[in-house]
Amino acid sequence: MAMLLLLIGNNMESSKINKFYAASLLVSVPLFVCASGSDAPSAGSQIFLCKDATGRTITSDRPIAECADRATKVLRKDGTVRREIPPPLTAEQKLARKQAEEKRKADEIAAQEQKHKDHVLLSTYRSEKEIEAARERTVGQLRSDIIEANTAADMADRKRRLASAEIDKIKAKKARPPAELLHQVEEAEQSANAERKRADKLEVDLVAQKSKYDTIMARFRDLMKAEGSAKKP
């Protein structure tokens, strides 16, 4: 009997504790909700401040129409700055931003192209000796072609001179030079001019190829230097 009374007493006491704990939770929940939302800005908790075109300072609890094209500060109730709203970009600033963006894109494309060129260069040549050998082959062939063109021009000139001399002899005899001989002079002159033009073009190509291989060599050395620096601890 005594044991039964003890169990009943313990259950009643436990029930009281549970009810008290539940009541405490109900009271603490709204307090927690209120506290957690206290830092969020609410209507009227921030102040908009700006200077209009005349220099007059304007404040309001909402965005200011007079300062739509001007910088605006958003203040807390205590006067500290919460954030700043920059003015909209002018036409000149928009143009400058557009040009800067276009330049950035162009630079990216140029960098990608250079990366591709570097890859091709390193895939083609493994040493400076290989570059020099390729240079000598190209330059040597061009020099040979220039000699060939100049020789052909000289031969055409000689042929023209011989035909012209023969025409002069015929004219000295008060005779009419044959059409074939006149054609030889014209043909030789055209051939000589064509070969000289070819030689001139080859000379330009020779200079361009020398410059090209100078650039290749310089870039190859830069890449090798950069690779060596990257391998250093």
Side-chain angles (χ1 to χ4, degrees), residues 88-141:
L89 297 177
T90 64
E92 292 79 5
Q93 289 172 328
K94 288 179 181 178
L95 178 60
R97 175 177 287 187
K98 180 182 178 183
Q99 291 173 340
E101 180 63 18
E102 289 174 350
K103 182 179 181 303
R104 183 188 66 79
K105 290 180 179 179
D107 289 344
E108 286 183 357
I109 292 173
Q112 288 297 324
E113 290 177 350
Q114 186 61 56
K115 184 177 180 181
H116 174 69
K117 289 179 181 179
D118 290 343
H119 175 73
V120 172
L121 191 154
L122 294 177
S123 299
T124 305
Y125 305 107
R126 293 173 296 178
S127 66
E128 292 185 18
K129 287 184 178 180
E130 289 187 1
I131 297 174
E132 193 59 41
R135 174 195 176 99
E136 287 302 318
R137 285 194 300 270
T138 302
V139 169
Q141 182 61 53

Side-chain angles (χ1 to χ4, degrees), residues 200-214:
D200 290 342
K201 183 179 181 301
L202 289 169
E203 289 283 1
V204 173
D205 290 345
L206 178 62
V207 173
Q209 287 297 320
K210 286 181 177 180
S211 177
K212 170 189 169 183
Y213 279 100
D214 287 344

Side-chain angles (χ1 to χ4, degrees), residues 74-202:
V74 182
L75 310 178
R76 298 183 181 87
K77 281 270 187 172
D78 61 3
T80 58
V81 178
R82 183 188 296 278
R83 62 192 176 97
E84 293 190 16
I85 303 173
L89 297 177
T90 64
E92 292 79 5
Q93 289 172 328
K94 288 179 181 178
L95 178 60
R97 175 177 287 187
K98 180 182 178 183
Q99 291 173 340
E101 180 63 18
E102 289 174 350
K103 182 179 181 303
R104 183 188 66 79
K105 290 180 179 179
D107 289 344
E108 286 183 357
I109 292 173
Q112 288 297 324
E113 290 177 350
Q114 186 61 56
K115 184 177 180 181
H116 174 69
K117 289 179 181 179
D118 290 343
H119 175 73
V120 172
L121 191 154
L122 294 177
S123 299
T124 305
Y125 305 107
R126 293 173 296 178
S127 66
E128 292 185 18
K129 287 184 178 180
E130 289 187 1
I131 297 174
E132 193 59 41
R135 174 195 176 99
E136 287 302 318
R137 285 194 300 270
T138 302
V139 169
Q141 182 61 53
L142 285 170
R143 284 174 175 161
S144 177
D145 291 344
I146 290 169
I147 292 172
E148 178 185 301
N150 284 326
T151 300
D154 291 341
M155 290 178 65
D157 270 340
R158 183 172 179 276
K159 185 176 181 180
R160 179 187 59 78
R161 287 195 300 271
L162 290 173
S164 294
E166 189 66 25
I167 290 172
D168 290 341
K169 289 179 182 179
I170 295 172
K171 285 181 176 180
K173 296 177 181 179
K174 307 297 181 179
R176 184 176 181 180
E180 182 181 352
L181 201 56
L182 295 172
H183 180 68
Q184 286 181 6
V185 171
E186 182 180 355
E187 187 180 56
E189 187 173 356
Q190 290 176 352
S191 178
N193 290 337
E195 291 299 333
R196 285 197 178 88
K197 286 181 180 179
R198 185 165 79 95
D200 290 342
K201 183 179 181 301
L202 289 169

Side-chain angles (χ1 to χ4, degrees), residues 19-34:
K19 287 179 180 179
F20 176 78
Y21 182 68
S24 299
L25 285 176
L26 289 173
V27 172
S28 63
V29 167
L31 291 175
F32 173 76
V33 172
C34 292

